[in-house]
């Protein structure tokens, strides 16, 4: 659902909506309004979408989960520590994490890496 709305869907309503409600929503959307039913809005707020990380960011995140430092990661991947630091900062921003530990906790909770 979140992906559909991010991609430009004008509205979302549950399958259980009454016919009259569905017609009213269609009219509102046709008039240029955006509509998200309260049930769907609650679902989206309770389960925010999983952030999209690039393959390289996921790779670096996997090293972070193992406790490696930026220097260790840079040596393993044969890239500069500045590049690793840039990726780590992007990971923190995408996960809305304050630090590496929080980023790791979020990644584990949301199962961002395949076992």
């Amino acid at each position: 659902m979140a992906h559909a709305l991010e991609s430009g869907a004008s509205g979302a309503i549950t399958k259980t909506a009454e016919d009259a409600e569905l017609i009213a929503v269609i009219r509102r959307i046709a008039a240029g309004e955006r509509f998200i039913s309260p049930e769907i809005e609650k679902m989206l707020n309770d389960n925010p979408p999983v952030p999209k990380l690039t393959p390289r960011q996921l790779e670096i995140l996997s090293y972070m989960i193992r406790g490696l430092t930026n220097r260790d990661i840079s040596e393993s991947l044969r890239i500069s520590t500045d590049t690793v630091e840039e990726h780590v900062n992007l990971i923190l921003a995408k996960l809305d994490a304050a630090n590496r530990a929080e980023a790791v906790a979020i990644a584990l909770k949301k199962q961002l890496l395949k076992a």
Side-chain angles (χ1 to χ4, degrees):
M1 185 58 63
H3 180 68
L5 293 168
E6 288 172 6
S7 298
S10 298
I13 191 166
T14 62
K15 289 181 184 180
T16 59
E18 298 291 327
D19 291 346
E21 181 183 10
L22 180 59
I23 291 168
V25 169
I26 291 170
R27 287 187 176 137
R28 289 175 64 181
I29 290 172
E33 291 181 46
R34 186 176 169 129
F35 179 85
I36 302 172
S37 72
E39 298 89 354
I40 291 177
E41 195 161 353
K42 181 181 180 336
M43 178 195 69
L44 292 172
N45 289 336
D46 290 347
N47 301 304
V50 175
K52 291 182 178 35
L53 299 177
T54 66
R56 180 60 116 186
Q57 290 166 350
L58 289 170
E59 184 177 26
I60 289 174
L61 183 59
S62 73
Y63 284 103
M64 291 168 57
I65 288 173
R66 289 186 256 158
L68 273 68
T69 65
N70 287 356
R71 185 175 183 171
D72 294 335
I73 296 170
S74 73
E75 290 173 2
S76 293
L77 297 177
R78 301 181 198 272
I79 59 177
S80 74
T81 54
D82 288 342
T83 301
V84 173
E85 189 173 319
E86 186 176 325
H87 282 296
V88 170
N89 288 333
L90 289 169
I91 291 166
L92 295 178
K94 286 183 176 183
L95 297 180
D96 196 26
N99 53 50
R100 292 169 78 102
E102 186 178 7
V104 166
I106 291 168
L108 292 172
K109 181 180 178 184
K110 293 191 175 284
Q111 300 177 350
L112 296 180
L113 296 172
K114 295 178 178 137

